[in-house]
Amino acid sequence: MEIREIQTIEGANVYSHRPIIRAIVDLQEWTERFTNELEDFGKRLVEHLPTLDEHYCSRGKRGGFLERLQEGTLIGHVIEHVTIELLTQAGQSIKYGKTMVILDQPGWYEIIFNYEAKAGAIEGFKQGFLLVQTLLNQNTFDVSRAVEQIKAVMAKCELGVSTQVIVDACKERGIPVHRLNEGSLLQLGYGRNQRRIQATITDATSSIGVDIACDKEMTKKILSEGGVPVPCGHIVRTEEEAVEAFLDMGTTVVIKPLHGNQGKGVTLQLTNAAEVRAAFKVAQTYGEWVIIEEYIEGQHYRLVVVGERLIAAAKRVPAHVTGDGKSTIEELVVQTNADPLRGDDHEKVLTKIKIDSVVLLNLTLKNLTLSSVPEKGEVVYLRDSANLSTGGIAEDVTDLVHPDNVDLAVYASKLIGLDVAGIDLVIEDIEASYRERSGHIIEVNAAPGIRMHHFPSKGKARNVGKAIVEQILPAGNGRIPIVAISGTNGKTTTTRMIGKLLADQQLLVGMASTDGIYINKKMWVKGDTTGPESAKAVLRHPQVQVAVLETARGGILRSGLGYDYADVAVITNVSNDHLGQYGIETLDDIAHVKSLIAEVVMPHSYVVLNADDPYVVQMAKRTQGRVIFFSTEKDNIHIRKHLGKGGTAVFVRRGTILLCQGSEVFRICSVKQIPVTWDGKAKHNIQNTLAAIASGWALGIGTATIRDSLQEFSSDAEHNRGRLNLYELDGVQVFIDYGHNAAGIQEIAKTLKQFKKKSLVGCITVPGDRPDETVREVGRIAAKGFQRLIIREDSDLRGRKPGEIAQLLYDEAILCGMDPKKIKVVLPEIEAFSQGLDSCVPGDTFVMFYEHLEPIEEEIRKRMELQKALSYIPSQNDWVVGGEF
């Protein structure tokens, strides 16, 4: 038994609207083996994980899973529950799990479950799989060790406390948050309204300000020149220089690394040359250059400034232990670190105390060692620096800060050039003015940690994360309008129409579609970009004002959605395509996938649905958004009922497009006035037009503006490339279209039959990954829709043998009564196009359903140039002396 695949789906998906792990296991020899047949397996499993008793499973009651275990369940199902239990013990809350058989792979099972911490969840699955495998092999498993391993992975990869509180503040305001790396770099919001933040450094933080803050000597120089009291000191590089500076200063000193942070390598209250030498060696482990400066008596305070305001202030207490009269200092440190609030780094509200060279030096200066036993109640400070990152604690004093100290902190942050700053102030009493109590600023910190203010050991919590979010996003939720379009056919045309509507409003549109990603009408990424990664790319662009996202079935199934919800979700239709892929076997399955974009919308969002499609109509029951129906049918019953309830609909009546909201009626225009409808003949493009009109209305665009925009949208290479594009070649109408399924090909045939030309010729194929019946259906539709057929194949056969798809299409067309003489099989695409076109005579219509558009367009260009050259008639002025032309 082995793991075949582990996949993370971070956005809403067909399994759950929350992030999931999708894992595939091959059970091999344990396929179809039930737990009640495996001797004492169930008993040993429960001995290892007694809390499985709390799992409801499908029984809907506590102990439900154990009942299934006793009655007999499959091993894949056991792995699911074991994984969920291990993750629960590691601190994750898992709300959903499911195990399914993969029908076309015997022994393969798909296991799906929610997660909170991605890396930890993946590790949890690996440990769960290993636990079950170990028990099946009659061995024992160390559950506690597995849980600790999961926790370790979670701690390593999850956001730190400071970053997490910013994320929480965003969630309270409905601001979407995307993690851009495995660290703390976040995108808040979308498009032009987005902001980026890394820990507490914002995208408005001056990089020069950060550099200055990291250079302690430069910081002191700028502050001092600005009138801010700072300790005097020197930069040294050798022990001798440090001792010489100490003797010159003639006072108690502090030694610290020039470019240090988080209190690392800092030693305070040095009073003799020997101590200075020892402290210098410690500091130099963090960098060649070292600062020696005067020691300022007083309490250590951290003041956080955001913009123009002091948000929080905390008194910082250095790492310390309190004696019990019997434990050594080292034992007391272990006891202190056992506090569940303490973590190894910044993942928890407090950090464990680390015994390092600074601690050992401080103990030596106090004539103590790790083996010393303090008296009961005696407090032993292990460090002089009071950073939380070295094990210190904090007491909130925000309400006590003297106004002069507030002004000083804000002024200092401005001098250094930071929008978010941590000001370290040493003063005897924070309630007194620094002017009266000789307060000094000893450091200005970029990217200050804020966990001490959110989770102080004493005093009131201060929401610094919220203040930072308010600073960079003063109003709104950082969103831009998002329009998502899904369906079997018509997605690309509808996407392009909506994109034009919005671009005509002088908005910078980001669009992802079948042929590429467009930013402000310019293609930046070529190819099928209808998946979640493409959506994320559009929403990451810092200039995009509105996103129009074609959202295909494949991307949804593979990776979910690339955004949280759309402001307008459009479903064009549901028809037979892609059956037999990713477990999609029926039209109901397709509808379930397509409906996702409608299911995840918010109550204020709009959902545009095709009232002529029964599968799409049913989606109205699965959305909380405001539904707008569209229809080309006369007196559609769903439209009538919807309008009766005060709803909104777009439909055609007597050749006129109307938009109705309850009893209000707005006339858009005649269907024939929209070029893409081909004078009203292209019903499928009428539907696409109605969907675009409904979307424009939902986005607040006026009816006259919508009409004017769509009247300029044509089926040409400029507006709708590759979708029913017409070229005239030697008297033959040549149409280029992407139709690749029965419904799409049928609509094109219906449309072109109304042109009443001599003969309608179609060049068709079906992608190789479609089931045989789907291929045959295309053969039937084509045989009924065209007088002659050219059958080709895609260059990507998708697992089929050469000629296999063509044979299925040919056989089905013959079964439908088509004359074999009217069918020609030419497998290569360009050859099929050329031979098909060459077989036509003036007055015929030839339709090319392509796989690759560019080669077809190039062939057409060459033919049009030749046609132009041959049709050129020389005038008298073209003749030259000598009779040569």
Side-chain angles (χ1 to χ4, degrees), residues 125-146:
F125 178 76
K126 292 178 179 177
Q127 293 292 338
F129 178 88
L130 183 59
L131 188 156
V132 174
Q133 186 180 50
T134 300
L135 296 187
L136 287 171
N137 291 329
Q138 300 296 315
N139 296 315
T140 59
F141 188 86
D142 190 337
V143 172
S144 60
R145 182 177 178 181

Side-chain angles (χ1 to χ4, degrees), residues 341-418:
L341 294 179
R342 290 188 181 267
D344 291 320
D345 204 348
H346 294 81
E347 74 273 12
K348 293 188 178 181
V349 298
L350 293 174
T351 299
K352 290 180 179 179
I353 299 171
K354 297 178 178 65
I355 297 174
D356 57 13
S357 56
V358 174
V359 170
L360 296 175
L361 177 58
N362 270 275
L363 290 176
T364 300
L365 296 176
K366 295 179 173 68
N367 294 317
L368 297 171
T369 69
L370 292 175
S371 300
S372 300
V373 178
E375 296 293 330
K376 185 173 184 180
E378 179 186 354
V379 177
V380 177
Y381 289 97
L382 304 172
R383 294 175 181 271
D384 293 315
S385 62
N387 299 71
L388 258 68
S389 56
T390 55
I393 63 172
E395 301 174 7
D396 177 69
V397 296
T398 306
D399 295 331
L400 305 178
V401 183
H402 190 281
D404 285 352
N405 300 338
V406 173
D407 292 343
L408 179 67
V410 173
Y411 178 55
S413 70
K414 288 187 174 300
L415 283 176
I416 302 305
L418 297 174

Side-chain angles (χ1 to χ4, degrees), residues 548-567:
V548 184
L549 308 174
E550 183 176 345
T551 308
R553 160 215 59 89
I556 293 175
L557 285 168
R558 288 190 299 270
S559 306
L561 300 180
Y563 56 89
D564 50 357
Y565 68 87
D567 299 277

